[in-house]
Structures are given as structure tokens and as C-alpha cells.
Amino acid sequence: MIKKILIIAGILLVGIASFSLLNKALEVDSSIANKEEQEPLITKEVELLKKVKEKLAEKYVIDIKTISKKELLIQVVGDEKYFNTVKKDMESIAKTVINTSTLKDYTVVFERWDLFKMPEEFKKEQKEILHLGKTIMEGLKGYDVIGNIGTHYQKSITIHTSIKSSDKDAQKLAMEIEETVNEVLHSKELNSVSHIDSYEIKILNVKGKVVN
């Protein structure tokens, strides 16, 4: 009788152990599956943030990230007056990009950065961008169609203009502006700017379309 009880107990223990191992295996599989499901979402968010940042960088010096409270944080470099002036336009641009994305329900919030309190590497990069933009703006002062100038560090320079696509000389004027920018880039005033030849020049018309 005792032997029979021990056999039954042994069978039950084996059954419990098997169930436990099976359960752990299912948990591992579930964890892997969840990880595989989450990774594309993470990648998608990073891509969206990159897209928003690139769009804003056409006009502004910023950084961007998401925070846990379903907020899209835009960090703006500039003084208080500038900060308050550009927030509305930045919010409009950001919302246009995320409107149909997984971030569409995120609230756009802002934080002002004081350039002089930033890490040295960041300060160096932003000072170079500001110097570049100021020098180009000075070089283009003879054109009355120039709007904002945006710089994506070591990648592109975007010149916003009031050129209309209906203007018969629209492309000719855009090419002329591009040539002037090229001359400015290779002038002695910008000798200190690194990787100057890596910048792509984009001239946008009044509707934001590249015309050069």
C-alpha cells in the first residue's frame, strides 16, 4: 500500500514538474514574441522622432525626445524672447508630422536650452550652425525673397524663400541663390566650419517645394 502511494506521489511530482517546465517554456516563448512585437514599434518611434527633428531642423536649432507622460518634448536653443516667438510654429510642424502616426495622441511640450549651459561638444556644434546661418544670411542680403535659413548639422542647408512656382524665372533665381550660398560656404569667413563640402543646399519656394 505504501509502495503504491509512493508511486502515485512520484507520478504527481513528475506531472507538476513537467507542467512547471512547460509553463516556463511558454513564458519564454511569450517573452520572445512580445519582444519581437515591441521592437518594430520602438524602431518606428525612433524613425518618427528623426523625421520630426529633420523637419524642424530646416528652420530651427532644436533637439527632440519622447517622455513617459505621452509627451513629445522639443528642446529649443535660444533666449526667452526667441523661445516664446517660435513655439507656435514648431508645434504646428511637429503635429503635422505625427498627425497620422503612433505618436498622434502625444502632447507637444517645450523646454528652453541655454546654449552656454550645454555640454562642450554640443555647444561647439550649435555655435558652428549659428555661425554658418548668420554668414549665409549676410551673403544673401541682396535677395528680397529670403526667409528662414535652416541647417541640419553637416548634412544640409535649407533656404526658405517667397519664390512662387508661377514665376517664370523661379528656377533661375533659385539656382542663382544656390550659387551664392556655395560661394559663401567656400569663403574665408567659413574656413573654421568642418565638413563644409558635406552640406546639400536646398532652395524652397513659398509652398515649401525644392526648386533648385
Side-chain angles (χ1 to χ4, degrees), residues 86-118:
V86 300
K87 283 194 296 184
K88 189 174 181 180
D89 185 45
M90 286 189 180
E91 183 177 8
S92 175
I93 292 169
K95 283 185 173 179
T96 299
V97 177
I98 67 172
N99 191 37
T100 56
S101 73
T102 53
L103 304 181
K104 66 184 178 191
D105 296 325
Y106 277 56
T107 304
V108 179
V109 294
F110 295 89
E111 177 180 54
R112 187 176 75 82
W113 276 5
D114 186 336
L115 183 59
F116 299 103
K117 295 178 182 178
M118 294 297 103

Side-chain angles (χ1 to χ4, degrees), residues 58-74:
E58 290 179 359
K59 295 174 73 174
Y60 304 107
V61 179
I62 56 97
D63 200 9
I64 191 167
K65 63 182 177 180
T66 54
I67 48 183
S68 56
K69 295 182 285 188
K70 290 192 79 174
E71 292 177 340
L72 185 66
L73 177 64
I74 299 174

Side-chain angles (χ1 to χ4, degrees), residues 3 5-6 21 36 43 51 56 73 91 108 113 118 120 139 155 160 179 186 192 196:
K3 187 176 179 182
I5 291 169
L6 287 173
L21 288 170
E36 286 174 350
T43 305
K51 191 175 178 182
L56 286 168
L73 177 64
E91 183 177 8
V108 179
W113 276 5
M118 294 297 103
E120 285 304 316
K155 288 189 177 180
H160 295 259
E179 188 178 336
H186 294 92
S192 61
I196 201 73

Side-chain angles (χ1 to χ4, degrees), residues 134-147 149 173 176-177 180-181 184:
K134 185 178 178 182
T135 308
I136 292 170
M137 183 63 83
E138 182 66 22
L140 294 174
K141 65 182 180 181
Y143 295 92
D144 59 4
V145 295
I146 305 300
I149 295 176
L173 179 56
E176 198 178 298
I177 293 171
T180 305
V181 174
V184 173

Side-chain angles (χ1 to χ4, degrees), residues 43-57:
T43 305
K44 204 166 185 180
E45 183 175 300
V46 170
E47 285 301 311
L48 278 166
L49 288 178
K50 184 180 175 185
K51 191 175 178 182
V52 176
K53 185 173 181 178
E54 286 180 352
K55 194 68 180 172
L56 286 168

Side-chain angles (χ1 to χ4, degrees), residues 2-33:
I2 293 171
K3 187 176 179 182
K4 189 174 180 181
I5 291 169
L6 287 173
I7 290 169
I8 293 168
I11 291 169
L12 285 171
L13 284 172
V14 169
I16 291 166
S18 298
F19 177 77
S20 178
L21 288 170
L22 178 62
N23 202 34
K24 285 187 180 297
L26 288 171
E27 284 175 7
V28 169
D29 286 346
S30 176
S31 175
I32 291 169

